[in-house]
């Protein structure tokens, strides 16, 4: 609020209030950088004031995974089998029909909140309740678990043309929860596979109806080298992906170009180059954080940035959502291999001393 010309405290879900503030101040553009929950409000304000942006109908599809999947099926986008459910009995029926393992998630949340992988019926009730608790409308989807390598794809669309700015190869620890601990750009795939990923993502963006603005997509590359689209968000990637990673990978200032689009100016979204970047997250075992060793020394490593989300004395929770991570490493270089080497150097320096909460 310190840098705002007109500071306003307002719930981002308050569409009518946001429209009122926008009209009172005669705004020139409206956007959200990386927040799913603000997408319907942004679309409503843009439509009401005649500003560039996606429509409220497209925003509704882009923030509801069930509606999104229906569009994927309609347009032939390869995606997992799924069913939308509202009761535990419906969830059991869907899981039996699809077959284990399955992924259970709320239709209308992000950041891995409410998402679980379940291998058998014994874990279904807890996973269903966890997903439904994290859904604002109470709807949950049960989907086929697709084995393979998960990737995130950062795109920007202008005049119905999408430029792909960055593709990551993700790593996730085992277990029920689906939280990534490492994103490496670019992926270690053959060029033909990368072009296939880009084609599937563009088809998905078109299926949803996104004709302008940033997108953050997730796909699985199967062991058979097939691309399966998981979901698309009509926003930039969080945790600095949109603001920091995209410029490092592609040379495109995503925030600036997004602002240009939102105020009716032509953006420059064509990638200038492709460089290596690693975004890695610290995720020590759960307990009480007692000491952090080597942090200041690690900060001196060239072409890296590190930060913490927790401090000494905080509780390290189970890694259930993106917000449960302890800190991050951002490393970059001319190549993927150089970025990985620098991230490894940082990780070797930084150690977390965590005490079990039950230890005396």
């Amino acid at each position: 609020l310190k840098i705002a010309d007109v500071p306003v405290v307002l719930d981002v879900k308050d569409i009518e209030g946001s429209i009122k503030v926008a009209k009172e101040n005669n705004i020139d553009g409206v956007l959200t950088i990386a927040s799913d929950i603000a997408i319907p409000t942004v679309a409503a304000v843009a439509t009401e004031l005649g500003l560039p942006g996606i429509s409220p109908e497209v925003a509704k599809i882009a923030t509801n995974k069930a509606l999104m999947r229906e569009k994927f099926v309609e347009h032939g986008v390869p995606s997992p089998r799924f069913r939308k459910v509202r009761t535990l009995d419906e969830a059991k029926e869907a899981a039996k029909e699809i077959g284990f393992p399955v992924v259970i998630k709320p239709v209308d949340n992000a950041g891995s909140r409410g998402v679980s992988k379940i291998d058998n019926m014994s874990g279904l009730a807890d996973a269903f309740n966890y997903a439904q608790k994290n859904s604002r409308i109470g709807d949950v989807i049960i989907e086929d678990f697709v084995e393979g390598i998960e990737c995130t794809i950062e795109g920007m669309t202008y005049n119905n043309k999408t430029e792909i700015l960055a593709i990551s190869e993700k790593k996730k620890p085992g277990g029920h929860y689906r939280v990534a601990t490492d994103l490496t750009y670019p992926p270690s795939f053959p060029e033909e596979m990368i072009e296939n990923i880009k084609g599937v993502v563009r088809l998905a963006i078109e299926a949803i109806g996104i004709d302008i603005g940033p997108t953050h997509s997730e796909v699985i590359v199967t062991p058979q080298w097939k691309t399966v689209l998981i979901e698309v968000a009509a926003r930039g990637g969080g945790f600095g992906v949109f603001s920091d990673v995209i410029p490092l990978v592609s040379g495109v200032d995503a925030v600036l170009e997004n602002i240009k689009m939102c105020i009716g100016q032509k953006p420059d979204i064509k990638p200038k180059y492709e460089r290596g970047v690693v975004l890695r997250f610290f995720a020590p075992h759960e307990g009480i954080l007692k000491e952090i060793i080597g942090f200041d020394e690690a900060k001196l490593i060239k072409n890296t940035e590190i930060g913490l989300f927790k401090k000494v004395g905080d509780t390290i929770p189970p890694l259930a959502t993106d917000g449960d991570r302890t800190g991050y490493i951002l490393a970059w270089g001319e190549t993927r291999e150089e970025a990985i080497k620098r991230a490894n150097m940082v990780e070797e320096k930084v150690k977390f001393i965590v005490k079990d909460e039950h230890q005396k």
Side-chain angles (χ1 to χ4, degrees):
L1 292 178
K2 289 181 179 179
I3 64 171
D5 292 322
V6 183
V8 177
V9 177
L10 187 69
D11 188 335
V12 294
K13 301 189 297 295
D14 184 352
I15 291 177
E16 293 305 317
S18 297
I19 289 173
K20 182 174 180 291
V21 170
K23 286 182 174 179
E24 287 174 351
N25 290 277
N26 194 28
I27 66 165
D28 296 308
V30 56
L31 73 155
T32 178
I33 295 296
S35 171
D36 259 23
I37 202 171
I39 290 170
T41 300
V42 169
V45 171
T47 298
E48 180 70 20
L49 274 69
L51 300 170
I54 60 174
S55 72
E57 180 59 32
V58 169
K60 182 179 179 181
I61 296 167
T63 52
N64 184 303
K65 294 176 175 61
L67 296 177
M68 186 185 303
R69 290 291 177 76
E70 289 169 4
K71 287 293 182 182
F72 291 167
V73 172
E74 181 183 334
H75 289 261
V77 180
S79 55
R81 291 181 300 148
F82 80 100
R83 273 190 57 186
K84 182 181 75 172
V85 301
R86 287 188 67 88
T87 68
L88 181 56
D89 285 343
E90 288 176 348
K92 289 178 178 177
E93 182 183 335
K96 287 179 183 177
E97 178 186 317
I98 293 170
F100 290 100
V102 296
V103 174
I104 305 178
K105 61 180 71 170
V107 300
D108 56 347
N109 214 322
S112 300
R113 287 181 286 271
V115 181
S116 304
K117 176 197 170 195
I118 300 300
D119 294 316
N120 51 59
M121 195 64 75
S122 65
L124 186 70
D126 287 345
F128 172 78
N129 291 331
Y130 176 53
Q132 194 167 57
K133 184 175 72 173
N134 282 276
S135 172
R136 289 180 287 277
I137 62 175
D139 287 346
V140 171
I141 62 171
I142 313 287
E143 68 184 30
D144 187 24
F145 173 73
V146 180
E147 191 71 51
I149 300 170
E150 186 171 332
C151 303
T152 56
I153 299 89
E154 310 305 322
M156 293 194 81
T157 302
Y158 182 69
N159 285 345
N160 288 298
K161 182 180 178 182
T162 298
E163 292 284 356
I164 303 300
L165 305 180
I167 303 176
S168 80
E169 184 175 340
K170 295 174 78 171
K171 292 180 182 176
K172 294 183 174 183
H176 292 311
Y177 302 123
R178 309 301 300 149
V179 179
T181 54
D182 186 288
L183 293 84
T184 300
Y185 305 78
S188 58
F189 301 151
E191 187 61 33
E192 183 180 349
M193 188 69 242
I194 291 174
E195 289 305 312
N196 181 265
I197 292 170
K198 291 179 179 180
V200 170
V201 168
R202 288 185 174 118
L203 180 62
I205 291 168
E206 185 179 333
I208 295 169
I210 298 170
D211 56 0
I212 187 171
T215 50
H216 173 76
S217 306
E218 296 179 354
V219 307
I220 300 290
V221 175
T222 73
Q224 295 76 36
W225 295 108
K226 303 292 184 183
T227 302
V228 179
L229 203 294
I230 303 301
E231 57 198 47
V232 176
R235 58 165 174 84
F239 282 96
V241 169
F242 193 68
S243 58
D244 300 329
V245 171
I246 290 177
L248 287 170
V249 173
S250 69
V252 173
D253 185 336
V255 173
L256 175 61
E257 302 309 327
N258 194 21
I259 291 171
K260 286 182 183 178
M261 277 192 272
C262 291
I263 61 175
Q265 294 182 7
K266 183 179 179 180
D268 179 8
I269 56 175
K270 192 170 183 62
K272 311 299 183 293
Y273 46 72
E274 183 180 69
R275 292 178 180 161
V277 174
V278 171
L279 177 59
R280 187 175 298 172
F281 296 97
F282 296 117
H285 66 83
E286 58 194 273
I288 304 298
L289 182 56
K290 291 297 184 181
E291 186 180 1
I292 303 169
I293 300 170
F295 186 81
D296 289 336
E297 187 179 353
K299 288 170 67 175
L300 301 176
I301 296 173
K302 184 181 177 183
N303 287 1
T304 67
E305 173 186 310
I306 60 174
L308 296 171
F309 308 133
K310 307 289 183 185
K311 63 182 183 300
V312 171
D314 284 351
T315 298
I316 307 298
L319 193 62
T321 73
D322 291 355
D324 295 326
R325 295 155 169 160
T326 300
Y328 71 92
I329 304 167
L330 182 63
W332 59 93
E334 288 297 321
T335 65
R336 168 191 166 94
E337 291 72 25
E338 186 179 334
I340 292 171
K341 180 180 178 181
R342 293 188 183 282
N344 290 344
M345 290 169 63
V346 172
E347 191 167 30
E348 288 168 6
K349 294 281 187 187
V350 181
K351 304 298 177 187
F352 295 89
I353 308 302
V354 180
K355 183 179 179 181
D356 190 292
E357 290 186 79
H358 304 294
Q359 288 180 344
K360 293 183 180 180

